[in-house]
Amino acid sequence: MGGHAGTPEEPTIAKKPQPEGGQAPVVQRVRIRYAKRGPLRFTSHRDFARAFERALRRAAVPIAFSQGFHPHPKISYASAAPTGVASEAEYLEIALQAAVDPEQLRVALDAALSPGLDVLDAVVAEGGSLPDRIEASHWHIELPEVDTAVLRAAVDAFVAAEEVLVERMTKQGRRTFDARAAVISIDVQVPTPTPSGAPAVPCAILELVVRQVTPSVRPDDVLSGLRVVADLEPPVSPRVTRLAQGTLTAQGAIVDPLDADRDGAAIVGH
């Protein structure tokens, strides 16, 4: 669970904060997995970045800084989830001026962030590039007031199509692209009955694994594709959670990108 920012017992890493603008060399890189949960899923990437930099200062993390007149903390983010989407698998990498214990770092940062922005894992980087280890994402999409049979029919039409063209506004303007080609697997999950057995509002559940491509195909693009092929228009906004992202195996499974660091398996190309 996330920590409670501002409490007196917050753990820290260094005995005194590192001065900003320090030119000490990078001696360690740490990769971090964090979650965005509950109302904090509406935190934009920019707002999270600001909150994370404040957490680094509160936890007295010996962060390394860039060179130049306006030094900034060396933080690299990998494939951040869209605003409004919950996630159990967001990743970033930080460069440090002094070596730290990754578990102590995890605890200190988790305590310095608001509950709902939860630091789940931290490992010392053993080489390779973190973005190169992120090939696909697994999404869990809840569609309130959509019948499971209706969703299944729409998914069957989506899978049967050779391509599904959708439009989205990007930084380069409005783009049309194929939402079908990036989808590795798409399936409808049977919802769990309510404990009382009483009838409940239907909520269809979509499980989706999507390959990282350019332009990226997001869950809302796939939902747009279901509208294109089957005129599926959910009456209520979907609840989307990223469950995993990482390397894709030949069997279609997703491997946590931090596993290679835990195993000491450096990836060529660092």
Side-chain angles (χ1 to χ4, degrees):
M1 295 298 295
H4 297 274
T7 54
E9 65 275 8
E10 278 184 1
T12 58
I13 296 298
K15 292 183 179 178
K16 53 185 177 180
Q18 296 291 320
E20 292 194 16
Q23 304 303 316
V26 173
V27 301
Q28 187 185 59
R29 295 182 185 274
V30 176
R31 290 166 178 167
I32 291 169
R33 177 182 178 181
Y34 65 97
K36 290 171 60 179
R37 296 166 170 162
L40 272 298
R41 70 186 185 278
F42 294 106
T43 304
S44 69
H45 176 63
R46 181 175 295 180
D47 287 342
F48 173 79
R50 285 196 288 261
F52 187 71
E53 290 185 20
R54 288 195 298 269
L56 289 170
R57 290 194 293 271
R58 281 198 293 267
V61 175
I63 190 74
F65 286 81
S66 63
Q67 307 284 338
F69 291 105
H70 301 287
H72 58 271
K74 288 192 171 183
I75 308 170
S76 300
Y77 296 92
S79 187
T83 303
V85 171
S87 179
E88 294 295 313
E90 300 297 288
Y91 294 91
L92 60 83
E93 178 177 303
I94 57 176
L96 303 176
Q97 299 177 359
V100 303
D101 177 83
E103 176 57 17
Q104 290 181 2
L105 174 70
R106 186 200 68 77
V107 171
L109 286 174
D110 189 53
L113 285 165
S114 299
L117 296 176
D118 304 326
V119 183
L120 307 179
D121 199 2
V123 299
V124 176
E126 294 293 343
S129 164
L130 181 57
D132 286 348
R133 298 183 191 174
I134 297 179
E135 298 175 343
S137 290
H138 178 190
W139 302 94
H140 175 89
I141 306 172
E142 298 178 14
L143 298 168
E145 300 184 27
V146 173
D147 185 84
T148 298
V150 172
L151 177 60
R152 193 179 300 279
V155 167
D156 288 344
F158 184 91
V159 171
E162 290 188 7
E163 69 173 10
V164 179
L165 298 180
V166 300
E167 287 189 350
R168 172 163 41 94
M169 184 62 71
T170 69
K171 293 179 181 178
Q172 291 75 36
R174 184 165 293 279
R175 296 281 300 274
T176 299
F177 54 93
D178 181 13
R180 175 68 185 90
V183 174
I184 298 165
S185 67
I186 181 170
D187 195 17
V188 180
Q189 190 177 82
V190 177
T192 304
T194 56
S196 64
V201 174
C203 180
I205 298 174
L206 189 65
E207 296 289 338
L208 184 65
V209 177
V210 180
R211 191 185 302 275
Q212 296 284 105
V213 294
T214 303
S216 62
V217 173
R218 308 182 310 198
D220 56 321
D221 297 321
V222 175
L223 293 176
S224 295
L226 294 177
R227 183 169 60 248
V228 168
V229 298
D231 201 27
L232 178 67
E233 191 72 59
V236 177
S237 296
R239 295 191 292 263
V240 182
T241 302
R242 173 149 56 191
L243 298 181
Q245 58 175 327
T247 305
L248 192 65
T249 69
Q251 292 74 34
I254 293 179
V255 178
D256 186 338
L258 304 189
D259 282 355
D261 297 303
R262 271 188 285 268
D263 297 339
I267 296 179
V268 176
H270 181 56

